[in-house]
Amino acid sequence: MIQVTGIKKSFGDVEVLRGIDANFYEGKTNLIIGKSGSGKTVFLKCLLGLHNINAGEISFDGRPLSEMEDKQRRELRLELGMVFQGSALFDSLTVEENVSFPLKMFANMSKSEIEDRTNFCLKRVNIADANARFPAEISGGMQKRVAIARAIVMNPKYLFCDEPNSGLDPKTAMVIDELIKEITLEFNITTVINTHDMNSVMQIGDNIIFLADGKKAWEGNKEEVITTDDQEMADFVFSSELFKKIRRAARMEQGLR
Amino acid sequence: MLENKLVHIFASMFLKNFIEDVGRYFTLMGMVFRRPDNGKVYWEAFVRDIYALGVKSLGLVCIISIFVGAVVTIQTALNLENPIIPKYYIAIATRESIILEFSPTMISLILAGKVGSNIASTLGTMRVSEQIDALEVMGIKSASYLILPKIAATLIFNPILITLSMFLGVVGGYFAGSMTGMVSTTEFVEGLQMDYRPFYIVYALIKTVIFAFIITSVSSYYGYFVKGGAVEVGENSTKAVVASSLILILANYLITQLLLG
Ligand SMILES: Nc1ncnc2c1ncn2[C@@H]1O[C@H](COP(=O)(O)OP(=O)(O)O)[C@@H](O)[C@H]1O
Ligand SMILES: [Mg+2]
């Protein structure tokens, strides 16, 4: 579990995060939702230690970040996996080299063990016969899969995904969401996902944090999204007429109005 | 009045950025010179960089050196059309200008353009596409892993390029002299051996190594800290070339004063 208490982050005079509390649970797909520019990426990068926070505390299974020495922080890094919004694959390396890169750098493994682990992860994300290709030579959906394979290759306890299905067609987006969900359950990972995609919310929203104006404006799960009376939250998730109708129908079914 | 104000504003802007830039440059260098996490992975990057930054410049350096060597010889010959000055002086002049200035300084300037923009745009692209963040998340010291092998590659390979350039420059002069009939091959060779000072080559290679460090580290600085997107990557690679060329010229002046003055 990751426990976040009162974190604040500003850039110069601009306060992006203005005191946020949140819990992210093990074996669950935890979602952070909010409009573009609401600070989702900044929030994730604070969790990853890529941004220093101005106030608050982030605690990884009872280990507070602020009390960690450099060495412990480096060790924690090895427990983190991250899927960046644009995949962020290393474009001078092949698909296979991308995935095996963290293993080569840090793991005490033989060449064949590294190869086995790399191929296991690539197979897990359903990539076959692309080992020798470069990121520029494969589709956006495949790049996302490779990025996921690279993020799980070190067997992370915590997995972070920044809008994993942005730029993908709806079908591929759903497949990627499902893949992340399956991996989370299979390896019992604490997964945190940024999204503004309504489909993801309804499909994999085990635990949802809604960010607005630098604060946590709502918290719940995908069932509660339907029943909530919070208008701002409902307006955000059910933005189109079609979604509004779906919500009304679902509420009627539950005897709400 | 207004002019004074403008000058003041520009000066303070430049100085403010200048001091900030210098500070961040040295911070970056502190991050670069770290113990590698894994020697083998760094070695692989080093080999890739030797190829991308060194081997790929071979053709350009060869062609430019041969032709400039030829032109230097012809122009020297044209300027020495005095019957009392022996012809072998043409060879001496060619040798000195190629070894002392053309190869180490001009070729380094050309490399500042080619290699410098390559480094700045590669690192800048990695920054804006979050590849550098990806390295950091993995626990890799990104500045060290990305820049140290590049510095090592150019410090080792630029002297090879420059030595080759000296040789080919003289060869170009040799052929130009005989083909135009301005200086015979025997006279040229005689001149080459006359009053030869090995220290000049040492001096040229010292300059080369210092220039290589300037080109690679300054361009890395402009690439590593890009903010924004593709447009800023382009802007910063231009800045990288301009800044490393200017610093190189300034360093050239200082080194010359120090070693030959
Ligand atoms: N490195 C930075 N420096 C300054 N401002 C930043 C930086 N990163 C993000 N911001 C600002 O923080 C706000 C939130 O950005 P972001 O987290 O990327 O939003 P989201 O991911 O929700 O779309 C934006 O207004 C953005 O301009
Ligand atoms: Mg974002």
Side-chain angles (χ1 to χ4, degrees):
Chain A
M1 184 169 91
I2 305 173
Q3 254 176 317
V4 176
T5 40
I7 68 163
K8 291 186 181 173
K9 174 69 192 169
S10 351
F11 295 102
D13 296 337
V14 186
E15 254 194 318
V16 180
L17 306 177
R18 303 192 299 142
I20 295 177
D21 300 324
N23 288 337
F24 303 115
Y25 303 99
E26 196 173 296
K28 295 236 167 1
T29 40
N30 303 274
L31 262 48
I32 299 168
I33 63 173
K35 292 186 190 125
S36 286
S38 59
K40 300 184 295 294
T41 300
V42 170
F43 187 81
L44 220 54
K45 288 190 174 175
C46 288
L47 297 184
L48 285 159
L50 291 174
H51 289 321
N52 289 321
I53 52 178
N54 302 114
E57 181 65 273
I58 302 166
S59 188
F60 292 83
D61 287 298
R63 297 169 295 170
L65 202 56
S66 66
E67 286 171 23
M68 286 185 194
E69 309 277 328
D70 270 2
K71 185 168 172 288
Q72 290 164 303
R73 277 179 191 240
R74 272 203 300 280
E75 283 163 6
L76 175 69
R77 284 272 165 96
L78 301 180
E79 300 176 11
L80 310 177
M82 169 80 179
V83 178
F84 286 87
Q85 188 165 358
S87 297
L89 297 176
F90 304 127
D91 36 36
S92 60
L93 302 183
T94 63
V95 164
E96 182 176 357
E97 287 166 342
N98 260 282
V99 178
S100 63
F101 189 77
L103 295 175
K104 277 191 193 154
M105 193 64 122
F106 294 113
N108 223 334
M109 291 168 118
S110 72
K111 217 173 157 180
S112 68
E113 283 170 329
I114 289 179
E115 214 168 283
D116 288 347
R117 176 73 190 154
T118 304
N119 285 325
F120 170 81
C121 292
L122 281 169
K123 205 167 156 221
R124 186 63 198 81
V125 298
N126 302 321
I127 294 272
D129 307 324
N131 287 30
R133 285 156 84 181
F134 285 91
E137 301 166 353
I138 59 177
S139 71
M142 274 171 89
Q143 288 177 3
K144 275 281 148 63
R145 290 168 193 275
V146 176
I148 294 171
R150 185 178 69 181
I152 61 170
V153 76
M154 296 287 281
N155 224 337
K157 281 168 88 161
Y158 314 96
L159 178 64
F160 303 88
C161 309
D162 195 1
E163 310 215 6
N165 48 27
S166 75
L168 301 179
D169 63 86
K171 179 90 200 339
T172 310
M174 228 164 83
V175 174
I176 295 287
D177 276 350
E178 279 307 318
L179 180 63
I180 294 170
K181 172 92 200 164
E182 283 166 24
I183 286 171
T184 300
L185 283 172
E186 194 174 323
F187 305 108
N188 200 30
I189 303 174
T190 305
T191 301
V192 184
I193 304 164
N194 276 354
T195 184
H196 56 223
D197 183 352
M198 152 79 193
N199 288 319
S200 306
V201 171
M202 297 313 294
Q203 233 185 329
I204 58 169
D206 292 341
N207 171 34
I208 303 165
I209 310 282
F210 175 46
L211 289 190
D213 299 321
K215 296 243 182 200
K216 180 173 77 183
W218 188 84
E219 182 173 9
N221 58 36
K222 61 186 176 195
E223 284 81 30
E224 288 161 339
V225 168
I226 299 287
T227 55
T228 182
D229 290 318
D230 187 302
Q231 206 51 50
E232 195 185 1
M233 165 69 188
D235 283 348
F236 172 72
V237 177
F238 304 97
S239 50
S240 77
E241 280 312 311
L242 178 62
F243 288 156
K244 284 191 176 112
K245 273 186 196 146
I246 293 171
R247 177 167 184 264
R248 270 200 294 277
R251 284 171 72 91
M252 294 256 270
E253 221 169 81
Q254 297 185 20
L256 298 162
R257 58 179 293 271
Chain B
M1 266 311 279
L2 182 70
E3 263 177 74
N4 270 347
K5 234 179 194 161
L6 281 178
V7 167
H8 188 77
I9 290 169
F10 278 119
S12 66
M13 259 170 59
F14 175 74
L15 272 182
K16 181 177 161 271
N17 279 337
F18 179 74
I19 290 166
E20 214 181 281
D21 277 339
V22 171
R24 286 209 304 170
Y25 169 84
F26 283 106
T27 312
L28 179 66
M29 287 305 113
M31 287 153 65
V32 167
F33 289 95
R34 293 276 180 83
R35 223 183 106 91
D37 289 308
N38 183 317
K40 204 167 146 263
V41 179
Y42 272 60
W43 172 256
E44 283 171 11
F46 170 74
V47 171
R48 266 199 307 274
D49 287 333
I50 284 271
Y51 179 74
L53 307 176
V55 175
K56 276 188 152 179
S57 303
L58 273 171
L60 182 70
V61 168
C62 290
I63 290 172
I64 293 178
S65 303
I66 290 173
F67 279 96
V68 172
V71 169
V72 167
T73 303
I74 293 171
Q75 294 205 337
T76 314
L78 289 175
N79 284 306
L80 285 183
E81 265 186 86
N82 185 328
I84 1 175
I85 300 176
K87 291 274 198 224
Y88 58 70
Y89 267 104
I90 298 169
I92 298 179
T94 303
R95 184 192 72 202
E96 305 293 67
S97 34
I98 285 177
I99 291 180
L100 290 174
E101 276 312 311
F102 168 70
S103 289
T105 309
M106 298 315 272
I107 292 288
S108 288
L109 273 175
I110 289 165
L111 291 175
K114 186 170 187 293
V115 172
S117 62
N118 176 310
I119 291 176
S121 60
T122 306
L123 292 180
T125 305
M126 291 191 76
R127 168 63 73 191
V128 300
S129 63
E130 298 183 303
Q131 291 175 51
I132 292 182
D133 283 335
L135 287 170
E136 288 290 326
V137 170
M138 289 174 189
I140 291 160
K141 300 161 194 149
S142 65
S144 164
Y145 169 67
L146 292 174
I147 300 173
L148 196 56
K150 292 191 198 321
I151 290 180
T154 49
L155 287 191
I156 288 171
F157 210 84
N158 281 22
I160 296 174
L161 286 172
I162 300 309
T163 310
L164 188 68
S165 162
M166 291 174 189
F167 174 73
L168 290 177
V170 170
V171 168
Y174 174 91
F175 283 114
S178 63
M179 270 166 17
T180 55
M182 284 168 165
V183 45
S184 73
T185 50
T186 30
E187 283 168 320
F188 197 87
V189 172
E190 188 187 349
L192 283 185
Q193 292 163 336
M194 201 171 282
D195 200 20
Y196 168 70
R197 279 178 237 174
F199 174 71
Y200 281 1
I201 293 195
V202 175
Y203 157 81
L205 291 180
I206 291 175
K207 288 214 296 197
T208 300
V209 169
I210 294 172
F211 294 164
F213 184 80
I214 292 172
I215 296 168
T216 311
S217 62
V218 171
S219 309
S220 296
Y221 168 76
Y222 280 99
Y224 189 81
F225 287 118
V226 171
K227 272 205 173 96
V231 176
E232 285 79 5
V233 173
E235 280 172 8
N236 271 35
S237 27
T238 308
K239 279 188 200 163
V241 174
V242 172
S244 46
S245 304
L246 286 177
I247 298 171
L248 193 156
I249 292 293
L250 201 70
N252 186 34
Y253 176 74
L254 294 175
I255 298 166
T256 308
Q257 287 284 309
L258 210 70
L259 293 184
L260 298 184

